Amino acid sequence: MESKSSNEAEASVIANNKIHFSKEVKHVIDKVLKSDDPMDAPDFNCVDYINQLFPNEQSLVTIDETIQRMQCEVSLIDDNIRSVVRGQTNTGQDGQVALCEAQKVISTLYEHIIDVKTRAERTEEMVKEITRDIKQLDCAKRNLTSAITTLNHLHMLVGGIESLEILIEKRLYGEILNPLQAITEVNQHFQQYSDIEEIKNLSQSVDKIQISLAHQITEDFKEAFSVKKSSNHPRLGLNQLGDACKVISVLDPKVKKDLLKWFIAQQLEEYLHLFHENQDIAWLDKIDKRYAWLKRHLLDFEDKFGAVFPLDWEVSERITVEFCRLTREQLSQIMSKRVNEIDVRLLLLAINKTQAFEQLLSKRFTGVTLGINNDNQNTSSFTSGGGQLLNSALVVFHDQIGSCFKAHLDIYIRSIDRNLAELIEKFVEQAKEPFKVGEAKSTVYPSSADLFVFYKKCMVQCNQLSNEQPMYELALVFKKYLREYASKVLESSIPKLLTTSTSIGKSMSLLTRDMQNLSTAAGQVIHNFLKEGDAQRFSKSDLIRICCVLTTAEYCLETVQQLEDKLKEKVAAAYVNKIDMFEEKDVFHRIISNCIQLLVQDLETGCESFLQTMSKVQWQSISNVGDQSSFITGMCANFKQTVPVIRDNLASSRKYFTQFCHKFVNVFIPKYINVLYKCKLTLSDGCNNVLGCEQLLLDTHSLKTALLDLPSIGSSVNRKAPTSYTKVVVKDMTRAEMIIKVVMTPVQPSAHFTQQVLKLLPDITIAEYQKILDMKAVKRVDQLQLIDLFKRTASTAAAAGLSDNTDSISTNAEQQNSTANALDSTSDNIMADATSTEMSTYPTNVPVNATSTPKRAFIFSVGNFTGSANSSAGDKNADNSSQSSGDRGRIRKLENLLKKRLP
């Protein structure tokens, strides 16, 4: 088979009349004519198909029906093929007829188009012939009109030059204006004919007339305003001068500029003489006299000469602008020479007077001569360097004079520095006085608000003076005295506790001072020495003052941030990135942290004596479980005495009170656990005192309840403690309970004890494990064996994935090897072996995750460690039964006690 094309079907007829299609054609046919008939398959096999229809001899019964059905299908297919072939034949004939008709229509259309094109060409030729003469006439008309216009202009130019020369000689400026404007316009028209000699001469004559006229008017003005008459011509009247100004408006703009420059200088000549730097009236203390002179002069000028100058010349405003320039230069010179005589009062007086005068000028004039278009004064506004929207009418003359004072604003900054230093000293004296919280509306020092109010006034005032370098220097002064306030007022107000050396010094001074009554003095000294071991604490007033310092530091911290934002808003863009008060905010952060630490330290100190009492209790000698111990009661009393004072005075700083509670429990609970490790719970016979363990467990649970209620203790409003705080207390205090439960577990069998330790304390370290063994008074040799077993068990559990946190145990095990080996030399100091085999084997289904153990569930979890919950009956002997009975009795007693305390 030979391929004809890759995009079209291939077909070739072979000897057996089979048609073969390409793969592409077959694929398209399969898409269009979807069929699941096996005869349509490309690999159709007749034999296989017949075998499929008649698989056995019995199926040959239906062969006649099958043959008849296939014949019907063949006949149907033949009919369909004939129908399709006939349809294709008719379609071809119809298409041929339609094609012939379309060709005839196209020929007719083409003939019509040729005819239309021919007629259009004929019409165009006719139009050209008709309009040819009209175009010639139109061109002639334009040329004639241009010639007549040019001749008229030439006549006007020649006649105008002659008439202007006569009018100029007679100084008839009122009659000169119109001809001059006409001649100027005509002269512009003839610029294109400047190559013609006669036209060139006429243009030069016009230029000479303009120059002559400008010179003559200038001389007439000087003659009119001079004191002495210098020419034979009579002085011009005000009306003639007004006409002359109108003529100048038509001439070259430089003529008007030179005339105004001379006139304004002539008007301000008196001012320069009166306020020369050698005159007393020129100094800053009499600066308002300068402005009063200009007001009088402008009124006099507008009264006398207001009608002379056109309104669009803005002569009054031009005089004012020049006055401002001269005043600025004079003040700059005189201040640079007499800088030592300038004080802040005089400087601010001059600045205030100048700013008021500039605002007055801004309201009076539009600023058009300054290049400011202020037609819409009532609606236009702009943003100053400080970001404040101001009406443009109020700033037209801003800093036209006042800019001369900016070079001396360091005097103002130094004055602010001195005032702030005096203010800080005043605040220091106020801080030494007792702060009466009851009379105050808040616990924030009033001095802090006074300081920031002063800052605000200074910032507003400096922004009016300048928002550039002086504003940045003011920010540096603010930073300086924020640190001063933090150190001299706040940090100095924090109460200090007397050190041991101080108390000894006072005791010795008492001994030497009272030599007459030696016995009394010696007794007092001995009493003081005995009290040196007692922890010193803050009084209630000291705690209140610490809280006041904290709330004041918080207020300062928030206000400093606002101050920084406002300074960046006010200062010029070039100084925005230079203003940074991070260090000052960090100072107040440090003061807050220090205050919280002192409060935590005081509350912790109040618990020291009770923790010492706890460590001295003979737990192994306790014979019954009663109410909570006295040291727990003392701790709760300490909480009730101290926490409400702190909470009430930190009512406006709730977040820092919560932080105080967090820090306290983070410090106190680990200390309580360390004291717990020192408690000895072993009887003289080496067995654990279960009653002592239960009492210690009860005390630990009572302390846990007290710590959970610590944020709202002593409050009439029962506010729920923060969730983060509750989680810390529950987690750490539950660990203390688990330590006691581990101590209650017998050491033997050691494998079971090790498993219980890892179950109850998954993240325990080798050092903590050794402390538990010390609490149980395990001998040194047995401790080493148990530690070795603990390491192996922990490593196995970590490898098997039984404990998520035992990785740290295996790591700490290597770090503690040296400690475990060193204990061999100190075995003489180890308590006797307290390993007891009297208790039955304890169950392994002890609750591990006790972070959310409710109060009543806690009662029953105790029973699981006293041998009564899941003991197997088959494993009990007589001794174990009696022991379990006694345990159950103690558990019931403990349960009743807890139900009374925890209803």
Side-chain angles (χ1 to χ4, degrees):
M1 182 178 63
E2 184 179 355
S3 177
K4 297 180 179 180
S5 175
S6 60
N7 297 325
E8 53 185 35
E10 296 179 355
S12 64
V13 181
I14 59 178
N16 54 2
N17 294 327
K18 289 184 178 181
I19 299 176
H20 297 275
F21 297 102
S22 64
K23 293 182 179 179
E24 292 81 0
V25 174
K26 290 180 181 180
H27 182 66
V28 174
I29 292 175
D30 291 339
K31 281 187 176 181
V32 177
L33 302 174
K34 295 182 179 180
S35 175
D36 54 358
D37 193 342
M39 292 185 181
D40 296 333
D43 55 348
F44 175 73
N45 192 315
C46 297
V47 178
D48 293 340
Y49 182 67
I50 294 172
N51 290 335
Q52 184 179 359
L53 292 177
F54 308 105
N56 48 43
E57 294 180 0
Q58 289 77 10
S59 62
L60 294 175
V61 177
T62 62
I63 188 170
D64 294 332
E65 296 177 358
T66 303
I67 292 173
Q68 186 177 0
R69 178 171 53 81
M70 288 187 176
Q71 288 177 349
C72 291
E73 291 179 0
V74 169
S75 299
L76 180 62
I77 292 172
D78 290 339
D79 293 339
N80 291 336
I81 291 173
R82 282 193 294 271
S83 176
V84 171
V85 171
R86 290 171 183 170
Q88 290 295 328
T89 302
N90 295 335
T91 302
Q93 294 175 354
D94 295 341
Q96 194 68 27
V97 173
L99 179 61
C100 293
E101 293 179 355
Q103 289 175 348
K104 292 179 180 179
V105 172
I106 292 172
S107 300
T108 305
L109 180 62
Y110 180 74
E111 292 175 357
H112 285 303
I113 292 173
I114 294 299
D115 184 50
V116 170
K117 182 179 179 182
T118 303
R119 292 181 180 181
E121 291 175 353
R122 292 175 186 172
T123 303
E124 185 179 0
E125 291 296 331
M126 293 174 64
V127 170
K128 288 182 179 180
E129 291 178 0
I130 294 171
T131 58
R132 185 179 295 112
D133 296 335
I134 296 175
K135 289 181 179 179
Q136 291 178 356
L137 292 174
D138 186 56
C139 181
K141 178 183 177 182
R142 286 198 302 270
N143 293 335
L144 182 60
T145 303
S146 176
I148 293 172
T149 304
T150 303
L151 288 174
N152 288 334
H153 287 169
L154 184 60
H155 178 71
M156 291 174 57
L157 184 60
V158 174
I161 290 174
E162 295 177 355
S163 61
L164 275 178
E165 291 177 349
I166 297 172
L167 293 175
I168 291 172
E169 185 178 356
K170 295 180 179 180
R171 286 180 166 79
L172 299 176
Y173 298 121
E175 300 178 11
I176 289 176
L177 180 60
N178 292 332
L180 180 63
Q181 289 179 332
I183 289 176
T184 303
E185 294 176 1
V186 170
N187 189 36
Q188 292 294 330
H189 174 74
F190 281 105
Q191 290 300 319
Q192 56 183 330
Y193 307 113
S194 59
D195 53 339
I196 302 174
E197 187 65 25
E198 290 76 6
I199 301 298
K200 183 178 180 181
N201 294 333
L202 290 174
S203 295
Q204 291 177 353
S205 299
V206 171
D207 294 339
K208 291 178 181 179
I209 288 174
Q210 291 179 345
I211 295 172
S212 174
L213 187 59
H215 179 72
Q216 181 175 306
I217 291 176
T218 303
E219 294 297 327
D220 289 341
F221 262 90
K222 293 181 179 180
E223 180 71 19
F225 289 97
S226 64
V227 178
K228 297 181 180 180
K229 192 172 183 301
S230 58
S231 66
N232 298 327
H233 300 288
R235 292 183 178 181
L236 299 182
L238 297 182
N239 293 333
Q240 289 178 302
L241 292 176
D243 294 336
C245 290
K246 295 177 182 179
V247 173
I248 288 181
S249 299
V250 181
L251 299 176
D252 187 3
K254 186 175 181 299
V255 178
K256 170 185 171 183
K257 181 179 179 181
D258 294 340
L259 178 63
L260 286 176
K261 182 177 180 181
W262 167 83
F263 180 78
I264 292 172
Q266 192 265 346
Q267 293 293 310
L268 294 176
E269 186 177 358
E270 177 186 359
Y271 172 73
L272 292 176
H273 289 293
L274 287 176
F275 294 92
H276 191 269
E277 63 180 16
N278 297 330
Q279 303 296 327
D280 293 338
I281 198 175
W283 186 230
L284 297 180
D285 57 347
K286 297 181 178 61
I287 194 171
D288 53 340
K289 294 186 180 298
R290 293 175 178 267
Y291 308 142
W293 180 91
L294 179 65
K295 295 175 186 178
R296 292 193 305 269
H297 185 76
L298 288 179
L299 291 175
D300 184 57
F301 164 76
E302 292 178 356
D303 185 38
K304 292 181 179 179
F305 309 112
V308 173
F309 300 96
L311 295 177
D312 59 333
W313 283 27
E314 297 288 350
V315 180
S316 296
E317 182 175 323
R318 294 179 186 275
I319 293 174
T320 303
V321 171
E322 182 64 15
F323 170 84
C324 293
R325 186 189 68 82
L326 293 175
T327 304
R328 182 174 65 248
E329 293 178 355
Q330 284 186 339
L331 291 176
S332 297
Q333 293 176 1
I334 194 172
M335 283 192 296
S336 62
K337 293 180 179 179
R338 303 172 62 177
V339 64
N340 296 329
E341 302 179 29
I342 304 175
D343 58 12
V344 67
R345 182 193 60 79
L346 183 61
L347 180 65
L348 292 180
L349 173 66
I351 292 175
N352 292 333
K353 295 285 187 182
T354 302
Q355 289 179 345
F357 179 67
E358 289 174 346
Q359 291 178 3
L360 179 64
L361 296 180
S362 299
K363 293 177 181 179
R364 169 62 179 84
F365 299 110
T366 61
V368 65
T369 60
L370 294 170
I372 300 175
N373 186 7
N374 196 29
D375 295 334
N376 300 321
Q377 293 183 10
N378 296 327
T379 59
S380 61
S381 60
F382 80 106
T383 303
S384 66
Q388 184 180 5
L389 288 177
L390 299 174
N391 192 314
S392 58
L394 301 179
V395 293
V396 171
F397 280 83
H398 178 66
D399 272 352
Q400 289 295 315
I401 301 175
S403 59
C404 66
F405 299 111
K406 291 184 178 180
H408 303 278
L409 285 179
D410 57 326
I411 299 173
Y412 169 75
I413 301 300
R414 290 197 297 270
S415 173
I416 296 296
D417 192 303
R418 291 192 297 271
N419 293 338
L420 280 172
E422 296 174 358
L423 193 62
I424 293 296
E425 292 301 324
K426 177 183 175 182
F427 292 160
V428 170
E429 296 299 325
Q430 291 177 356
K432 294 178 181 178
E433 301 175 359
F435 183 64
K436 299 179 181 179
V437 182
E439 299 178 1
K441 295 181 180 180
S442 66
T443 55
V444 178
Y445 283 174
S447 59
S448 60
D450 295 339
L451 177 66
F452 286 107
V453 168
F454 185 81
Y455 275 11
K456 180 180 179 181
K457 292 180 179 179
C458 294
M459 184 170 57
V460 171
Q461 188 178 44
C462 185
N463 186 52
Q464 295 174 350
L465 302 178
S466 173
N467 66 338
E468 297 178 353
Q469 182 68 21
M471 181 68 79
Y472 173 66
E473 293 177 356
L474 183 66
L476 297 180
V477 174
F478 286 172
K479 288 162 59 72
K480 171 185 175 182
Y481 285 98
L482 283 173
R483 295 191 295 268
E484 290 280 331
Y485 183 82
S487 61
K488 293 184 178 180
V489 179
L490 295 184
E491 291 182 348
S492 299
S493 298
I494 299 177
K496 306 294 189 300
L497 291 175
L498 296 176
T499 59
T500 304
S501 59
T502 305
S503 61
I504 295 175
K506 286 187 176 181
S507 300
M508 295 306 296
S509 63
L510 176 64
L511 181 63
T512 56
R513 187 177 65 249
D514 198 1
M515 293 300 293
Q516 295 179 353
N517 192 353
L518 184 59
S519 60
T520 303
Q524 184 65 33
V525 170
I526 294 173
H527 178 69
N528 290 341
F529 276 117
L530 292 176
K531 290 183 65 178
E532 286 173 5
D534 298 339
Q536 297 182 357
R537 298 191 61 189
F538 293 115
S539 63
K540 180 179 179 180
S541 60
D542 291 339
L543 293 177
I544 293 175
R545 183 171 285 273
I546 293 175
C547 293
C548 292
V549 172
L550 190 151
T551 54
T552 304
E554 180 190 15
Y555 167 77
C556 292
L557 181 63
E558 296 173 353
T559 314
V560 166
Q561 182 60 51
Q562 299 174 10
L563 176 66
E564 180 180 358
D565 296 340
K566 187 61 67 173
L567 283 170
K568 289 183 177 180
E569 177 185 339
K570 296 288 185 183
V571 77
Y575 297 91
V576 171
N577 295 330
K578 295 182 179 181
I579 295 180
D580 182 15
M581 294 191 174
F582 174 79
E583 295 180 359
E584 289 68 32
K585 289 184 284 188
D586 186 62
V587 169
F588 291 111
H589 271 301
R590 188 167 60 250
I591 292 175
I592 292 173
S593 300
N594 187 24
C595 291
I596 293 176
Q597 186 62 36
L598 290 176
L599 296 175
V600 170
Q601 182 180 349
D602 181 77
L603 186 60
E604 180 189 356
T605 303
C607 298
E608 285 289 344
S609 59
F610 302 110
L611 292 176
Q612 293 178 6
T613 302
M614 172 184 170
S615 64
K616 296 177 182 178
V617 173
Q618 300 296 323
W619 297 101
Q620 65 272 24
S621 302
I622 293 178
S623 58
N624 62 335
V625 179
D627 201 351
Q628 66 183 22
S629 300
S630 59
F631 63 86
I632 297 295
T633 305
M635 289 183 189
C636 293
N638 177 41
F639 296 157
K640 291 180 180 179
Q641 179 182 359
T642 305
V643 174
V645 176
I646 299 174
R647 183 182 59 244
D648 294 343
N649 288 278
L650 293 181
S652 60
S653 303
R654 188 71 187 177
K655 63 178 180 180
Y656 291 119
F657 175 71
T658 304
Q659 188 175 344
F660 155 75
C661 296
H662 270 283
K663 287 191 175 183
F664 172 72
V665 296
N666 287 331
V667 173
F668 174 74
I669 296 179
K671 183 175 290 188
Y672 176 80
I673 293 176
N674 288 333
V675 176
L676 191 64
Y677 283 132
K678 299 178 183 178
C679 296
K680 305 303 179 183
L681 301 169
T682 306
L683 297 172
S684 58
D685 57 356
C687 300
N688 288 337
N689 183 6
V690 178
L691 293 178
C693 292
E694 292 174 353
Q695 181 63 49
L696 188 56
L697 194 60
L698 173 64
D699 292 338
T700 301
H701 185 73
S702 299
L703 180 60
K704 176 182 176 181
T705 304
L707 290 176
L708 288 173
D709 297 336
L710 184 68
S712 60
I713 191 170
S715 174
S716 57
V717 179
N718 188 12
R719 179 180 293 179
K720 186 178 180 181
T723 305
S724 58
Y725 171 79
T726 304
K727 286 182 179 179
V728 172
V729 174
V730 170
K731 176 184 176 183
D732 294 345
M733 289 304 295
T734 301
R735 181 178 181 84
E737 293 173 349
M738 293 300 104
I739 291 173
I740 300 174
K741 292 181 181 181
V742 169
V743 174
M744 295 172 68
T745 306
V747 178
Q748 298 298 333
S750 57
H752 177 264
F753 174 74
T754 303
Q755 291 178 358
Q756 287 297 98
V757 171
L758 291 174
K759 196 175 219 181
L760 296 176
L761 299 170
D763 55 347
I764 189 173
T765 63
I766 297 294
E768 293 172 337
Y769 182 67
Q770 186 172 348
K771 290 179 182 180
I772 292 176
L773 296 179
D774 290 339
M775 291 177 68
K776 298 177 69 63
V778 179
K779 291 183 179 180
R780 174 57 39 162
V781 178
D782 296 335
Q783 279 192 19
L784 297 177
Q785 295 176 355
L786 288 172
I787 290 173
D788 184 61
L789 176 62
F790 176 78
K791 292 179 182 178
R792 294 197 305 271
T793 305
S795 301
T796 304
L802 299 178
S803 176
D804 295 335
N805 299 323
T806 52
D807 292 337
S808 61
I809 298 176
S810 60
T811 303
N812 291 330
E814 297 178 0
Q815 298 176 355
Q816 299 295 334
N817 282 337
S818 59
T819 304
N821 296 331
L823 291 175
D824 293 338
S825 61
T826 59
S827 58
D828 295 336
N829 298 327
I830 304 296
M831 295 180 62
D833 183 11
T835 305
S836 176
T837 58
E838 296 178 357
M839 290 189 176
S840 61
T841 303
Y842 295 96
T844 60
N845 57 347
V846 181
V848 178
N849 186 9
T851 58
S852 60
T853 305
K855 296 177 180 178
R856 295 194 178 276
F858 165 80
I859 298 171
F860 300 103
S861 65
V862 176
N864 292 339
F865 289 93
T866 54
S868 62
N870 297 323
S871 300
S872 175
D875 296 336
K876 291 183 180 179
N877 52 25
D879 294 336
N880 290 338
S881 298
S882 60
Q883 181 68 30
S884 299
S885 177
D887 292 343
R888 284 194 293 272
R890 287 191 291 272
I891 290 171
R892 284 193 295 272
K893 184 175 181 181
L894 177 61
E895 179 179 355
N896 293 331
L897 289 172
L898 291 176
K899 284 181 178 180
K900 292 179 182 179
R901 286 190 51 77
L902 307 171

